[in-house]
Amino acid sequence: MKNIEEMSIDEVKAELAYLAQEIAKSDNAYYQNDDPYLSDAEYDRLKHRNTELEEKFPELVRQDSPSKRVGATVKSAFSKVSHRFPMLSLGDVFSFEEVADFVMSVKRYLNTAEEIPFMSEPKIDGLSFSARYENRQFVQGATRGDGIIGEDITENLKTLQQLPLKLPADAPDILEVRGEVYMSKADFLALNARQEKEHKKLFANPRNAAAGSLRQLDAKITAQRNLSIFAYTWGEVSERQWESQAEFFNHLQKWGFPTNPNNTLCQSFADIEQSFKKLMDIRASLPYDIDGVVYKVNSIALQERLGFLTRTPRWAIAHKFPAEQALTTIKDIRIQVGRTGALTPVADLEPINVGGVIVSHATLHNEDEIKRKDFRIGDTVVVQRAGDVIPQLVGVIKEKRPAEAKEFVFPTICPICGAHAIREEDEAVRRCTGGLSCPAQAKERLVHFVSRDAFDIVGLGDKIIEDFFAEGILQNPSDIFTLEKRNGGDDLFSSVSGLHLEKREGWGSKSVDNLFKSIQARRKISLPRFIYALGIRQVGIATARLIAQHYGKFRPFMDDMKNKETGGIVSIDGIGAAMATDMVEFFQEPHNLNIIEKLLQYVEVEEFVDNAKKDTPLSGKTVVFTGTLQQMTRNEAKAKALACGAKVSGSVSAKTDYVIVGADAGSKLKTAQELGVKILSEDEFLDMTK
Ligand code: IVH
């Protein structure tokens, strides 16, 4: 390494370029592929050298400098940003008639009969951002928030490779560029595959994935996710150099912002119609989700004359696509059996492309749903994807029902193990009574056992468990702890040959080593995790923790349950008689006891030490979660609440202190409102856990 004092400017420039490239490559290998090729020390040395050179030559700091890319510190909350110009939303329409009305109203307002040019832009299904530049340097990034106040995501936006951090000399002194952050369909699928492998939360659709990835307090996580942007509008600007939306796009491109290649200037209503139809046609083949088309009056002078309604401009509108639907036929209906024995009917469909995703099956939920919607084998049905990857069956086209269409008879016997499947009064689901002698339940129980909040064994994904189960390699949880021993095996004196997992397709000695390490690490396990891992019906992590708190050790809990001593457990606030019955039943089953005893030969269950924080706003409070949380899984949220000394309950009552609502909250939110229970957003909840 050269002494800085002796270096020429060109040499410094060249070295900074090399460092930027090398560090980015290493970041990529580390974050994207989990496969670092530089040692930590080597990586730190490069970073250090970069800082050293930049400190000496601040004028040579590159736009893509590693010192700017990754958020260095982990923040505890986003600070708020007041938008100097509000970030507006758009009015929605769903038909050409309504678009025609909109165009008419624009003309009427402007008092003109002439054609007005409109810019037609795909409506990207992501989340909007605002990027502020002062003296051509990126200084602040914000989310839309409520349009008036957003969140400061400066560090997160800096990690997006497509966002320029420095603008060319001809850009205005002050400029806020706004647009959409999104995740491509391919990156979304890859992220979910990774999440699944690591037993982490799956995202419902690319938009949720983009939001979850951008709004990360630790910007390093954002950096690991492939997020993209399209720029399409502006906020504050010191000197507007453009007279139209089309000209603005030209400037954006010149300054290095990605703009959508399908933005089209429309001179007439016919052009608008054509642009919509074209986007509708190519929608499925686009690498990212769009949910409609935005039309904007092209001329800024006209936009200014038109002005705004309360929250939306008079000069723009969103023409939304209908939910993506397609027709296909039900080839068959089959039953899946879950961990707790629930029989779920699934329709096998003639594979069909619904908005770019091939759908070949869909859940029918339960037997009542099949009756209510009258689904029969052979029926033509409407399949829909409404933003989500999970398809729904909307209904049957009765006119297309063939004569041989067959009604589905819901089994009263488990199709996997042959045990009776019974449906309790006022339950929607029918359950197999076979317990662990039912292979389907045994397999699902293994999946649960290794899951993130249970034993958290990395490297045993669902598919692997399925294969291992089918091949007899894993039958019950304790088998996991003998894997390593069974893997080597074949010595001269042994008649059994080793499993040699490293020779399996897709495996290698490294992944096998990692798996064994992960298993070894779990030979000691906390009491709540252990209880949760057993997969007792109704016992989630919050309940497992309550039990742990009450008993402190595993054996006394097991003994009580074996002896049907429920007095202690029902005295715990939050555990009712029905739950206690499930627990007792679980411990009456000899097979379960057998599994537990075997497990205890290999694992040490730690005594429970209550280290919940005692002095948080949540201590002693009863909280209920409802709806889909965006920033963490439900289990993570529960764990956070518990760690703050809160009690987590599944239902809202007058005793509930707080209801934390995520997206699409349903009846619990309603009950909370009726009872006057305090409602918290996810952010407010997170603030209280600090
Ligand atoms: S323009 C006043 N253009 O749609 C201008 N918005 O419903 C306001 N969106 O919050 C936005 N693609 O998140 C505009 N080409 C596009 C867009 C777009 C997606 C989103 C944006 C906005 C929402 C409005």
Side-chain angles (χ1 to χ4, degrees):
M1 212 183 301
K2 251 189 153 173
N3 188 335
I4 299 182
E5 315 301 336
E6 295 166 19
M7 288 170 80
S8 72
I9 294 286
D10 281 343
E11 279 173 330
V12 175
K13 270 193 190 161
E15 188 171 354
L16 283 173
Y18 161 80
L19 288 168
Q21 192 189 346
E22 218 32 43
I23 292 170
K25 221 162 76 189
S26 167
D27 278 342
N28 201 46
Y30 184 85
Y31 290 128
Q32 306 285 346
N33 310 327
D34 269 352
D35 193 14
Y37 68 92
L38 289 182
S39 68
D40 286 356
E42 185 63 13
Y43 180 82
D44 287 343
R45 195 183 64 78
L46 295 183
K47 286 279 270 231
H48 182 78
R49 175 72 173 172
N50 193 65
T51 320
E52 206 175 46
L53 291 175
E54 286 186 350
E55 269 168 11
K56 264 262 149 28
F57 299 96
E59 72 282 9
L60 297 184
V61 173
R62 296 169 60 89
Q63 196 175 320
D64 61 353
S65 162
S67 61
K68 295 185 176 183
R69 281 289 163 197
V70 178
T73 48
V74 179
K75 287 199 268 172
S76 58
F78 291 105
S79 43
K80 304 281 182 221
V81 174
S82 289
H83 298 299
R84 291 175 178 78
F85 287 73
M87 287 182 78
L88 300 165
S89 65
L90 297 169
D92 282 343
V93 295
F94 292 87
S95 66
F96 284 120
E97 287 79 64
E98 289 171 292
V99 177
D101 286 348
F102 161 73
V103 173
M104 274 302 296
S105 71
V106 167
K107 288 186 183 173
R108 214 177 307 122
Y109 196 91
L110 296 172
N111 200 13
T112 174
E114 280 172 32
E115 289 285 10
I116 295 175
F118 281 87
M119 183 58 82
S120 154
E121 305 170 18
K123 186 169 187 300
I124 315 300
D125 199 4
L127 63 151
S128 40
F129 73 92
S130 186
R132 185 177 173 86
Y133 295 81
E134 289 175 5
N135 300 319
R136 287 150 293 277
Q137 299 283 349
F138 172 66
V139 292
Q140 188 171 57
T143 62
R144 176 167 179 271
D146 62 4
I148 309 294
I149 293 177
E151 284 172 325
D152 187 328
I153 49 160
T154 310
E155 294 305 315
N156 308 73
L157 277 186
K158 270 190 196 165
T159 70
L160 303 198
Q161 300 296 324
Q162 290 182 330
L163 186 84
L165 300 178
K166 223 175 151 192
L167 301 183
D170 65 339
D173 292 346
I174 293 190
L175 173 66
E176 284 174 8
V177 171
R178 293 174 176 179
E180 204 82 353
V181 175
Y182 67 94
M183 190 179 281
S184 76
K185 294 176 187 170
D187 286 325
F188 161 71
L189 292 174
L191 170 63
N192 259 2
R194 258 193 344 258
Q195 294 281 105
E196 186 167 9
K197 216 166 139 195
E198 294 163 17
H199 304 306
K200 290 191 181 147
K201 173 178 165 157
L202 297 188
F203 295 100
N205 52 45
R207 176 171 29 82
N208 283 1
S213 303
L214 189 65
R215 296 184 67 264
Q216 286 283 344
L217 291 169
D218 180 358
K220 286 203 184 92
I221 300 177
T222 310
Q224 297 165 31
R225 312 276 173 87
N226 249 344
L227 293 175
S228 310
I229 54 168
F230 282 122
Y232 51 65
T233 195
W234 66 94
E236 188 180 2
V237 51
S238 53
E239 172 208 1
R240 181 162 52 73
Q241 307 162 349
W242 51 94
E243 299 300 329
S244 69
Q245 183 71 15
E247 273 180 43
F248 177 58
F249 280 135
N250 291 338
H251 280 85
L252 284 176
Q253 283 161 12
K254 193 176 61 186
W255 296 330
F257 293 93
T259 60
N260 193 287
N262 287 298
N263 296 337
T264 331
L265 188 57
C266 301
Q267 300 295 345
S268 64
F269 189 71
D271 286 355
I272 288 183
E273 271 184 302
Q274 203 192 354
S275 78
F276 182 86
K277 285 183 182 147
K278 178 185 160 207
L279 284 169
M280 187 86 155
D281 278 350
I282 63 168
R283 177 185 191 188
S285 61
L286 288 175
Y288 44 84
D289 275 343
I290 61 174
D291 60 345
V293 183
V294 181
Y295 310 120
K296 298 175 184 167
V297 169
N298 187 44
S299 147
I300 313 300
L302 296 186
Q303 286 185 7
E304 285 177 346
R305 276 177 61 195
L306 284 155
F308 302 92
L309 296 157
T310 334
R311 274 303 178 80
T312 58
R314 256 195 216 95
W315 43 265
I317 201 139
H319 186 179
K320 299 287 281 280
F321 291 138
E324 294 175 287
Q325 288 190 338
L327 292 187
T328 189
T329 52
I330 299 186
K331 290 198 299 189
D332 200 3
I333 295 178
R334 68 194 150 84
I335 297 287
Q336 266 178 0
V337 183
R339 170 169 65 89
T340 57
L343 269 52
T344 307
V346 177
D348 282 332
L349 306 169
E350 192 57 52
I352 177 85
N353 185 330
V354 192
V357 174
I358 304 293
V359 174
S360 47
H361 32 252
T363 174
L364 294 168
H365 303 287
N366 54 52
E367 52 190 304
D368 292 346
E369 170 87 355
I370 300 182
K371 282 215 186 81
R372 193 164 50 240
K373 294 199 172 157
D374 194 17
F375 289 124
R376 301 189 191 179
I377 299 165
D379 265 342
T380 297
V381 287
V382 181
V383 195
Q384 170 172 306
R385 283 199 323 124
D388 285 6
V389 262
I390 300 155
Q392 308 154 358
L393 290 194
V394 183
V396 176
I397 311 280
K398 289 260 171 71
E399 297 72 37
K400 292 199 169 204
R401 175 167 286 165
E404 68 281 6
K406 230 173 55 201
E407 250 181 272
F408 179 70
V409 185
F410 208 94
T412 51
I413 287 185
C414 171
I416 308 290
C417 74
H420 285 294
I422 55 169
R423 184 171 167 186
E424 309 248 348
E425 244 178 89
D426 51 68
E427 265 224 47
V429 287
R430 192 174 279 281
R431 283 178 208 277
C432 162
T433 52
L436 280 189
S437 61
C438 174
Q441 291 184 54
K443 190 208 103 193
E444 289 305 325
R445 194 177 290 179
L446 276 169
V447 170
H448 173 78
F449 186 85
V450 301
S451 67
R452 188 172 172 207
D453 298 305
F455 269 69
D456 191 21
I457 292 173
V458 183
L460 285 180
D462 292 12
K463 178 76 183 76
I464 293 171
I465 295 221
E466 193 168 318
D467 292 347
F468 282 12
F469 187 80
E471 294 171 40
I473 297 175
L474 289 183
Q475 293 291 334
N476 64 57
S478 63
D479 295 342
I480 293 171
F481 295 94
T482 60
L483 263 183
E484 186 165 3
K485 192 149 170 260
R486 286 185 287 145
N487 199 47
D490 45 7
D491 57 79
L492 282 176
F493 306 103
S494 162
S495 54
V496 269
S497 61
L499 295 168
H500 293 299
L501 299 180
E502 65 282 357
K503 292 190 181 147
R504 291 176 77 96
E505 212 191 309
W507 290 68
S509 39
K510 199 170 162 211
S511 43
V512 172
D513 273 358
N514 285 342
L515 171 62
F516 292 158
K517 271 195 199 122
S518 171
I519 295 173
Q520 277 302 338
R522 285 301 178 198
R523 288 202 176 231
K524 234 184 184 176
I525 186 134
S526 74
L527 182 53
R529 272 183 187 271
F530 186 76
I531 296 172
Y532 173 70
L534 296 178
I536 307 167
R537 242 176 98 187
Q538 300 204 59
V539 178
I541 55 159
T543 309
R545 195 180 161 106
L546 289 176
I547 299 170
Q549 242 163 0
H550 182 79
Y551 286 98
K553 292 182 181 172
F554 182 66
R555 292 255 176 217
F557 163 56
M558 177 154 81
D559 290 343
D560 262 8
M561 295 303 104
K562 272 176 28 190
N563 300 328
K564 306 189 185 174
E565 278 289 339
T566 56
I569 212 151
V570 293
S571 73
I572 305 175
D573 202 5
I575 296 189
M579 234 189 246
T581 311
D582 279 338
M583 291 185 228
V584 166
E585 270 177 17
F586 181 91
F587 286 96
Q588 299 308 306
E589 171 70 54
H591 196 94
N592 288 338
L593 298 180
N594 198 358
I595 284 181
I596 292 172
E597 290 302 345
K598 268 195 181 154
L599 252 180
L600 291 173
Q601 292 174 11
Y602 301 106
V603 248
E604 181 192 334
V605 185
E606 291 165 335
E607 195 170 330
F608 184 72
V609 193
D610 196 351
N611 47 12
K613 296 185 214 156
K614 293 277 179 309
D615 52 351
T616 76
L618 289 167
S619 323
K621 304 285 187 209
T622 301
V623 304
V624 174
F625 292 94
T626 181
T628 315
L629 302 175
Q630 306 293 328
Q631 301 177 53
M632 56 203 149
T633 63
R634 185 67 77 82
N635 279 347
E636 282 168 328
K638 283 184 184 171
K640 269 193 200 307
L642 293 167
C644 289
K647 285 179 241 158
V648 180
S649 166
S651 55
V652 181
S653 74
K655 281 200 240 153
T656 312
D657 293 293
Y658 300 116
V659 172
I660 295 106
V661 289
D664 306 321
S667 65
K668 286 184 198 169
L669 172 59
K670 225 174 120 208
T671 316
Q673 283 162 338
E674 280 160 13
L675 292 174
V677 174
K678 180 138 178 51
I679 291 160
L680 298 180
S681 69
E682 203 175 331
D683 288 338
E684 288 169 320
F685 164 70
L686 280 174
D687 279 347
M688 291 171 87
T689 62
K690 303 276 154 50

